[in-house]
Amino acid sequence: MNGVCPVCRNAHGTGCSEYQTTGDRSGFECEICGRFEITRSALISFFNASREELSLFQRATLSHQLSIADRSNGAVIVTQEWMERFVPNARLPNPLEQATNLIRIIGDYQSKTGEAIVIDSPKIMACAGAYDMQMFSQLRKELEDGNIIRKAGTTQLADANNPIQMRFRYPYILTLEGWTRYQAELRGHVAGRYGFIAMKFGDVVLDNFIAKVAKPAVQTGINFDLVDLRDIARAGVIDNILRQQIRDAAFVLVDLTHDNSGAYWEAGYAEGLGKPVIYLCERSKFDQAKTHFDTNHCTTVLWSIDQPDQFKSELVATLRRSLNLFATDKKAQPA
């Protein structure tokens, strides 16, 4: 593997190779990012080797997304349209989310194999979502100091830069406290700092309202991201992706304007996990036909393209109550 990955640029001495694809795409097999394809337009617009289109942070974020992609149902394809949505909002998991990701990686491996796993590799670093190996090493140390993970012996591997020289690497397992954290995460009891929105895709009015009103309102109002399934750069079994996104969300918004059966399913799954679920509906539709009788008595924030400020105010207030967040009164308090 002696090619250059257009995403991570062979960080940490790893390799990449190109492979043949059908259609107007280029295929890459990277030791960190995994196997993926990039459309010609995206390559020209974002991965031109003669100019810097992406920052190191954006590259690390994209590498993380690609490294965790579910490829069981086909190749991961990076398009120009997706990159245009991704670049302005690129973010890595915060340290707590990175710790949860690493616990999940170790727990999943142990559950499947019964063995310890060597984690000091660029691939595991990217899957966890750390910016670089230095920060990843600090994360690993804090989990070890906190008795969440521990070493399970040593193993010897040849150094990639000097095959004659051997170096020690340490496989890790979860402690009992680590398994408690792992099981809690599987049950949705460990939430990331984002909300997930279930909705019908392809409605221009709804898409624009969510992108230009709802998502900025959540970010500005409570400092949480709001994501939908299109924000995740993954191919694969969509049910598994949905479950993971809902399981790790701090809250779930569900738009029922179109009586979308998928949105109802996602709401039920979130309710079953005990997640705060807030329903949304376009005002005129709700006034005329309500929503399903199982939900029309639940907390529902109504929206209208003519009254975005009222929606933003009601949504943020509802989220604050649901998440036990309280605005700080910046006025001086009387003595």
Side-chain angles (χ1 to χ4, degrees):
M1 302 180 81
N2 53 9
V4 177
C5 174
V7 175
C8 71
R9 292 183 172 173
N10 298 19
H12 314 290
T14 55
C16 180
S17 62
E18 293 191 43
Y19 65 88
Q20 295 294 321
T21 66
T22 58
D24 189 25
R25 302 195 295 265
S26 298
F28 301 90
E29 183 85 42
C30 174
E31 291 179 2
I32 295 179
C33 305
R35 187 180 178 92
F36 63 96
E37 299 175 9
I38 304 179
T39 62
R40 178 175 174 78
S41 59
L43 269 175
I44 294 173
S45 299
F46 293 97
F47 302 97
N48 192 315
S50 64
R51 60 181 187 270
E52 284 290 339
E53 297 293 342
L54 299 174
S55 68
L56 293 177
F57 181 83
Q58 289 168 334
R59 290 182 181 278
T61 305
L62 180 55
S63 182
H64 167 64
Q65 290 288 340
L66 292 173
S67 69
I68 63 175
D70 184 345
R71 294 169 171 82
S72 58
N73 199 37
V76 176
I77 301 173
V78 178
T79 66
Q80 180 165 348
E81 179 185 11
W82 186 86
M83 287 296 296
E84 289 171 352
R85 293 199 308 268
F86 164 80
V87 170
N89 303 302
R91 61 176 290 274
L92 283 169
N94 63 41
L96 179 59
E97 292 169 333
Q98 292 175 30
T100 299
N101 291 341
L102 185 54
I103 291 168
R104 182 191 301 159
I105 290 167
I106 297 173
D108 286 348
Y109 188 84
Q110 272 192 262
S111 297
K112 293 176 181 177
T113 68
E115 300 176 352
I117 178 174
V118 174
I119 61 174
D120 61 336
S121 72
K123 177 66 174 180
I124 301 295
M125 175 206 74
C127 289
Y131 177 67
D132 56 25
M133 286 301 294
Q134 181 178 354
M135 292 186 177
F136 182 63
S137 295
Q138 180 63 35
L139 174 70
R140 183 193 63 202
K141 182 178 183 302
E142 291 190 23
L143 286 176
E144 193 171 2
D145 291 345
N147 196 35
I148 304 299
I149 65 175
R150 67 176 178 85
K151 296 184 181 74
T154 60
T155 185
Q156 284 188 330
L157 295 175
D159 192 309
N161 299 317
N162 186 359
I164 299 177
Q165 182 176 345
M166 302 298 291
R167 63 191 179 97
F168 289 103
R169 302 182 71 184
Y170 300 97
Y172 280 81
I173 60 173
L174 296 180
T175 64
L176 288 178
E177 178 61 27
W179 279 109
T180 300
R181 289 272 298 272
Y182 175 76
Q183 292 297 327
E185 195 277 331
L186 287 182
R187 292 178 172 84
H189 298 163
V190 179
R193 199 169 181 83
Y194 74 89
F196 180 82
I197 181 165
M199 56 185 282
K200 177 184 177 180
F201 300 139
D203 182 289
V204 176
V205 174
L206 177 59
D207 284 345
N208 286 337
F209 192 84
I210 296 301
K212 297 179 180 180
V213 179
K215 290 186 176 183
V218 172
Q219 178 59 243
T220 302
I222 63 172
N223 197 28
F224 276 62
D225 291 324
L226 180 62
V227 303
D228 62 58
L229 196 59
R230 295 168 298 184
D231 296 319
I232 311 303
R234 302 189 217 178
V237 182
I238 192 169
D239 288 349
N240 293 339
I241 299 171
L242 278 172
R243 288 187 179 94
Q244 181 176 332
Q245 291 302 304
I246 294 172
R247 185 187 67 204
D248 293 347
F251 62 89
V252 175
L253 303 184
V254 182
D255 186 86
L256 300 179
T257 301
H258 301 90
D259 293 315
N260 184 270
S261 57
Y264 276 106
W265 181 91
E266 291 159 52
Y269 183 68
E271 294 268 15
L273 289 173
K275 298 287 181 181
V277 177
I278 299 168
Y279 296 91
L280 311 178
C281 189
E282 198 278 327
R283 185 177 296 277
S284 63
K285 189 274 181 188
F286 190 84
D287 290 342
Q288 293 172 11
K290 304 294 183 184
T291 56
H292 192 276
F293 68 87
D294 283 336
T295 59
N296 60 28
H297 62 283
C298 297
T299 300
T300 305
V301 179
L302 304 181
W303 61 270
S304 170
I305 58 173
D306 299 325
Q307 297 176 307
D309 291 340
Q310 180 179 343
F311 168 80
K312 288 190 287 187
S313 177
E314 293 180 3
L315 177 62
V316 170
T318 303
L319 285 170
R320 286 190 177 279
R321 290 194 300 270
S322 299
L323 299 174
N324 292 320
L325 302 175
F326 300 96
T328 301
D329 187 354
K330 297 181 180 179
K331 295 180 180 179
Q333 297 296 321

